[in-house]
Amino acid sequence: MTHDIQSELPIGVFDSGVGGLTVLKAIREALPAENLIYLGDTARLPYGTKSPASIERYATQAAAKLQAQGIKLLVVACNTASAVALDALREAMAPLRVVGVVEPGAAAAARAQPGGRHLVLATEATVRLGAYRKAIAACDPQAVVREHACEMLVSLAEEGWSHGDIARAIVQRYLDESDGHNPDTIILGCTHFPLLRDTIQDVADEGVILVDSASTTADVVREALRADGMLRGGGEPGSLRLLATDGATRFARVGGQFLGHDLSYSDVELVDL
Ligand code: DGL
């Protein structure tokens, strides 16, 4: 396949649910000409409470589904799948380039607050593996990192309950549990959590900086495509295909909040993995 034909292929993006749309949105803003295809594995959400073996199997099946559509690069827009299965995915998808979100998120935090005190809010699986602690230590050895599992925030985001008293109370409870760390940075180490950004910012101590991996991941994608000569040129905006493994209506309702524009269930294709 020539590079011209390859550059027309979409970028594949997947997550366990609608959370990865926060990353897709950042890629769309940074690279508006790119064609995109997104898969939310809503039938098997959440990934964050599952065993590493199940997460790896689910992630590999989701990635294979996207690869079968014909893609030029794969973005694992799920911290949990990135933490658990990035190496396995790279091996299974080779020579396709696979970009995860943990390293870009860690780099964003290290840049926002060098030598900082970071509190990572993430899923149980991401925390269990110490994924952010290791990734931040690799780029900023002076940083002090605490990781905290906040699985219920995934449900709030999927439910579309990101604002209001219930969301505030749950965020407060999680932040209270990590009392004593006095972070200067909170890392949104799950792609669902940017939807709760306002609530978390509101509940956190004044001056705490919130960081997520969306825009840094988009930068990594741009640089990878540029290096491979596969950026899509021309002024035409790229296309967007949305796939989900269950619940097209719910996906459209909540996904619209993530993307910032209305979606209808007919915008979402249901697929089996
Ligand atoms: N959005 C996923 C992440 O970034 C996790 C949500 C889930 O538990 O499935 O970790």
Side-chain angles (χ1 to χ4, degrees):
M1 214 187 284
T2 68
H3 271 209
D4 275 359
I5 297 175
Q6 271 190 314
S7 64
E8 287 300 310
L9 292 175
I11 298 168
V13 181
F14 87 88
D15 178 40
S16 55
V18 288
L21 291 173
T22 55
V23 178
L24 179 117
K25 186 170 178 227
I27 296 172
R28 230 177 164 191
E29 282 165 6
L31 299 165
E34 293 299 335
N35 296 318
L36 297 165
I37 177 167
Y38 181 88
L39 170 62
D41 190 7
T42 38
R44 299 188 291 193
L45 173 116
Y47 281 9
T49 52
K50 307 287 184 334
S51 67
S54 294
I55 295 167
E56 186 174 315
R57 183 158 43 88
Y58 295 171
T60 308
Q61 289 169 349
K65 186 74 182 184
L66 287 174
Q67 193 179 34
Q69 311 295 309
I71 54 173
K72 60 182 175 183
L73 180 143
L74 176 70
V75 180
V76 184
C78 172
N79 289 271
T80 308
S82 299
V84 173
L86 196 60
D87 291 344
L89 287 170
R90 286 191 168 138
E91 204 179 309
M93 300 298 132
L96 187 73
R97 256 203 215 249
V98 180
V99 173
V101 286
V102 172
E103 280 167 18
R111 207 176 313 142
Q113 197 69 25
R117 296 182 64 79
H118 305 292
L119 174 64
V120 183
L121 307 183
T123 65
E124 278 172 35
T126 304
V127 169
R128 209 181 310 122
L129 285 172
Y132 270 91
R133 196 171 25 79
K134 291 176 200 158
I136 293 172
C139 49
D140 182 4
Q142 304 305 318
V144 181
V145 181
R146 181 179 296 182
E147 295 165 289
H148 195 58
C150 304
E151 204 58 53
M152 204 174 280
L153 302 187
V154 176
S155 311
L156 284 176
E158 285 282 332
E159 194 61 37
W161 288 7
S162 302
H163 299 93
D165 293 347
I166 296 172
R168 276 186 67 90
I170 293 172
V171 168
Q172 184 75 64
R173 167 81 189 258
Y174 282 129
L175 294 188
D176 287 350
E177 279 175 4
S178 51
D179 199 25
H181 183 59
N182 298 325
D184 42 40
T185 310
I186 292 180
I187 302 173
L188 307 179
C190 170
T191 52
H192 281 75
F193 297 175
L195 211 67
L196 289 132
R197 175 181 284 274
D198 292 348
T199 303
I200 297 170
Q201 187 78 69
D202 224 34
V203 173
D205 290 343
E206 216 175 303
V208 172
I209 304 166
L210 261 55
V211 178
D212 69 62
S213 53
S215 63
T216 5
T217 302
D219 293 342
V220 172
V221 169
R222 183 180 31 229
E223 286 322 305
L225 291 177
R226 183 172 290 144
D228 292 346
M230 279 202 276
L231 280 170
R232 183 168 185 256
E236 288 290 295
S239 62
L240 172 62
R241 255 180 93 195
L242 298 170
L243 314 179
T245 50
D246 200 9
T249 304
R250 164 182 272 269
F251 186 99
R253 176 173 59 80
V254 184
Q257 293 181 21
F258 277 68
L259 287 178
H261 58 77
D262 285 348
L263 290 174
S264 132
Y265 74 92
S266 58
D267 295 321
V268 182
E269 298 167 48
L270 282 184
V271 293
D272 229 353
L273 300 185

